Structures are given as C-alpha cells and as structure tokens.
Amino acid sequence: MIGATPLLEIRRIARGLHPTVRIFAKLEGFNPGGSVKDRPALKMIQEGIKAGRLAPGKTIIDSTSGNTGIALALIGRVLGYPVELVVPSNVSLERKRIIAALGARVTYSDPLEGSDGAIRLCGKILQEKAEKYFKPDQYFNPMNSQAHYETTSPEIYRQTEGEITHFIAGIGTGGTIMGTGRFLKEKNSRIRLIAVEPDDALHGLEGLKHMASSIVPGIYHEEKVDEKIPVSTENAYAMVYRLSQEEGILVGQSSGAAMHAALQVARQLRSGTLVTIFPDFGDKYLTTNLWVGWRERMAVGNLQFSI
Ligand SMILES: Cc1ncc(COP(=O)(O)O)c(C=O)c1O
C-alpha cells in the first residue's frame, strides 16, 4: 500500500495566476504511515535485509524527527523487527503517541538541539552496542533518495503526462528532492528543481532543515538543485490555513512551506506545470503551535492571505 499517491490540482489558491500555469500537489499523507517517509523507510529496510545487515535478532534504530519513525515502527512491526527511535522531545504529541501505539521504543533527545541532537544521541547509543542494531541512517543512506527515484518521481511524471516543468519540495534529509529530481532531470533536463527550506535556524517547520545551521545530510547535494527558496514559519503557517479553508485540505507545516514557495514561483510564469509535495496531512499537528492560537494570529492581520 506504500506509494501510488494521488496528485491533486490546487485550483482555488491558484486563481489569479496566468491561465496556463497549473499547480499540483502530491498527497503523501495517503501512505499507510501517513507520510512521504514510508517510501524511503521501506526501501532502506528491504536493502538492509538483502545485504544481510538486517537479520532476525537485530533491532532497527534511527534518529528521526517523527515521520520516518512512524514509518520504521510500522514496517518493523509488519516484518517482525523491534524498533528503537531517538526523537527530539518536542515533536508533536500525536507523533509520540502513534509511535508508541505501533510498539516502538522511544528515547528522547534535547529539544533545543533539534534533529541534530537526535542524530548525535543515536550515534552514542550505537557506539555502545553496534552489533545489536541495524541503522537505516536516512541522512546518509542512498536508498533514501533511491526510493523517490524509483517510485515518487515516475508517478509524478506519469500523472502529469510528462508535462511537469517545475518540481518544488521541502528539504529534511533531502531524499525527496534528490531522488525525484534525478529521475526528472533524466527525463527532461529543463525541468527546474526548487528546494524549500526554513528561512531561519529557529523555525516551526517540523520535518524541514535549515541547511546553513545544520549537519548537512550526506545524501543532499545542493549543487543539484536549480534554486533554493527560504520560507518563514509565519508564511508557511498562513498557507496551511489557506489550504484548509480554501481547498479543504488539512496538511502539515512543511506542505504549507512548499505551497508558499510553489505559488511564489508560479507568479513569475506565463505557463508551466508545477508539482509540489505535501509530505503529510495535518491531523498530527492539531496540538502544536500551528493550530494553538491560530485565530488570534490571523485576526492581528500579520498573515498575508492574498496572492
Ligand atoms: C513533514 C515532513 N516534511 C518534509 C520532509 C522532508 O523530506 P526529505 O527528508 O525527503 O527531504 C520530512 C522528512 O522528514 C517530513 O517529515
């Protein structure tokens, strides 16, 4: 059931654009674990088994900001491998509960150190008992982006009947943009790859990384993207509210950031078929700052709702 997600045209928010400019979003929330990360998690585990690095008796361990953890917990459960996850303690309550409900063990890292803190703590645990664990290592495992090269990207190419002109995606591990981008460039080198990142080291965009202030993932090669667009937390949140209220799609913060960037690109064009990724749905974030106090923030009028 992983993959084969729908591609939805965003029509209402795109009103006002040039009529031959269209924006589509791939709804990755439809994956069984609820996010885009099901794809790389499955691929990394399958390759681990194939290479003999993951075998009965071993435990799957990784550091994850949440969605990869849910995916690993789910796939580990189905295949019969225990899963241990290192997660910053400030990930949303819903994510923590989903991971626990799927039977994975969780170790919390310092929230102030973000996903880098989880990476470091996971490394320490591994050092102590390397033989016990299989670490998919999503930040350095080429199978992460390979999953997108083999599945996400061919799906998008087919769903747009080869007409895609721009691909816009947020960067966390970089797996989505690297793998999807590689396949698209092979099909048509004129397709533009646009990476979206938080505009600041301190941000509220769960799943995304501000590269300049982070440990840069080994699978992320910035020179392969044509453009990088920084998006503020406020603008991403404002777009999440627009998507729910105007399009009836409740998504997470990183989808808001991606859509904000897509719209920014679309406004400059006279024709084009833009595709972005909505990595997950929004029900996991209802107890986070995204939704707590949102009406007040909107009422103050500091959120831009017009295009
Ligand atoms: C909600 C969300 N958005 C975006 C991303 C970024 O995807 P990638 O790691 O493929 O760059 C992630 C990945 O962790 C995520 O969980």
Side-chain angles (χ1 to χ4, degrees):
M1 298 295 289
I2 293 174
T5 54
L7 192 69
L8 178 78
E9 181 161 11
I10 307 297
R11 293 176 199 270
R12 293 167 194 82
I13 291 175
R15 264 185 213 137
L17 294 173
H18 203 277
T20 51
V21 177
R22 300 173 77 187
I23 304 178
F24 294 86
K26 193 141 172 76
L27 302 183
E28 290 296 298
F30 277 110
N31 282 300
S35 86
V36 68
K37 303 308 295 199
D38 282 8
R39 297 175 189 262
L42 179 64
K43 184 78 187 163
M44 291 186 294
I45 287 178
Q46 284 174 333
E47 285 299 309
I49 294 171
K50 230 192 246 172
R53 292 197 300 124
L54 177 58
K58 285 216 173 186
T59 294
I60 298 168
I61 190 170
D62 217 338
S63 56
T64 156
S65 65
N67 276 332
T68 305
I70 295 171
L72 293 173
L74 181 131
I75 297 163
R77 191 55 33 187
V78 172
L79 297 180
Y81 295 99
V83 176
E84 271 182 49
L85 302 168
V86 186
V87 180
S89 65
N90 58 338
V91 301
S92 77
L93 184 65
E94 292 91 333
R95 289 209 207 188
K96 290 179 189 167
R97 290 198 174 160
I98 294 166
I99 290 169
L102 288 167
R105 237 189 90 188
V106 181
T107 304
Y108 292 113
S109 60
D110 187 338
L112 293 177
E113 293 182 29
S115 57
D116 287 352
I119 293 173
R120 282 190 286 266
L121 182 57
C122 183
K124 236 170 87 181
I125 296 171
L126 256 175
Q127 239 177 10
E128 284 161 15
K129 260 195 187 152
E131 70 293 343
K132 177 180 168 195
Y133 294 110
F134 165 72
K135 183 169 185 256
D137 206 1
Q138 58 167 344
Y139 292 95
F140 288 88
N141 190 333
M143 291 303 130
N144 174 350
S145 46
Q146 184 67 15
H148 296 288
Y149 178 86
E150 290 177 8
T151 69
T152 320
S153 201
E155 287 172 28
I156 290 171
Y157 196 74
R158 234 181 3 254
Q159 286 167 315
T160 59
E161 294 171 350
E163 288 186 0
I164 176 172
T165 56
H166 297 71
F167 179 68
I168 301 122
I171 38 177
T173 64
T176 306
I177 190 120
M178 288 294 116
T180 309
R182 183 156 66 87
F183 179 89
L184 291 175
K185 287 280 188 189
E186 281 172 15
K187 284 287 178 192
N188 174 359
S189 60
R190 283 178 318 201
I191 296 172
R192 281 186 70 77
L193 298 185
I194 300 160
V196 180
E197 72 169 355
D199 69 345
D200 192 60
L202 280 178
H203 64 87
L205 304 177
E206 224 170 281
L208 299 190
K209 243 177 189 290
H210 178 255
M211 285 300 168
S213 61
S214 306
I215 299 174
V216 178
I219 60 165
Y220 178 67
H221 306 290
E222 192 140 304
E223 70 281 3
K224 299 260 167 72
V225 305
D226 297 304
E227 189 181 343
K228 202 165 71 162
I229 297 183
V231 175
S232 69
T233 297
E234 292 72 29
N235 281 335
Y237 284 19
M239 186 54 80
V240 171
Y241 308 146
R242 282 193 74 180
L243 283 164
S244 62
Q245 310 225 335
E246 294 177 41
E247 302 281 347
I249 316 167
L250 180 57
V251 288
Q253 300 92 322
S254 68
S255 305
M259 183 65 207
H260 179 86
L263 199 53
Q264 193 173 311
V265 174
R267 283 195 209 113
Q268 318 293 323
L269 301 174
R270 296 188 62 78
S271 74
T273 300
L274 289 74
V275 175
T276 189
I277 298 274
F278 287 177
D280 60 5
F281 286 134
D283 41 358
K284 288 195 284 273
Y285 304 103
L286 293 172
T287 62
T288 69
N289 283 340
L290 173 62
W291 289 104
V292 175
W294 69 283
R295 285 184 197 283
E296 290 75 9
R297 287 203 299 279
M298 276 174 68
V300 174
N302 58 354
L303 298 176
Q304 291 296 313
F305 267 38
S306 56
I307 64 167

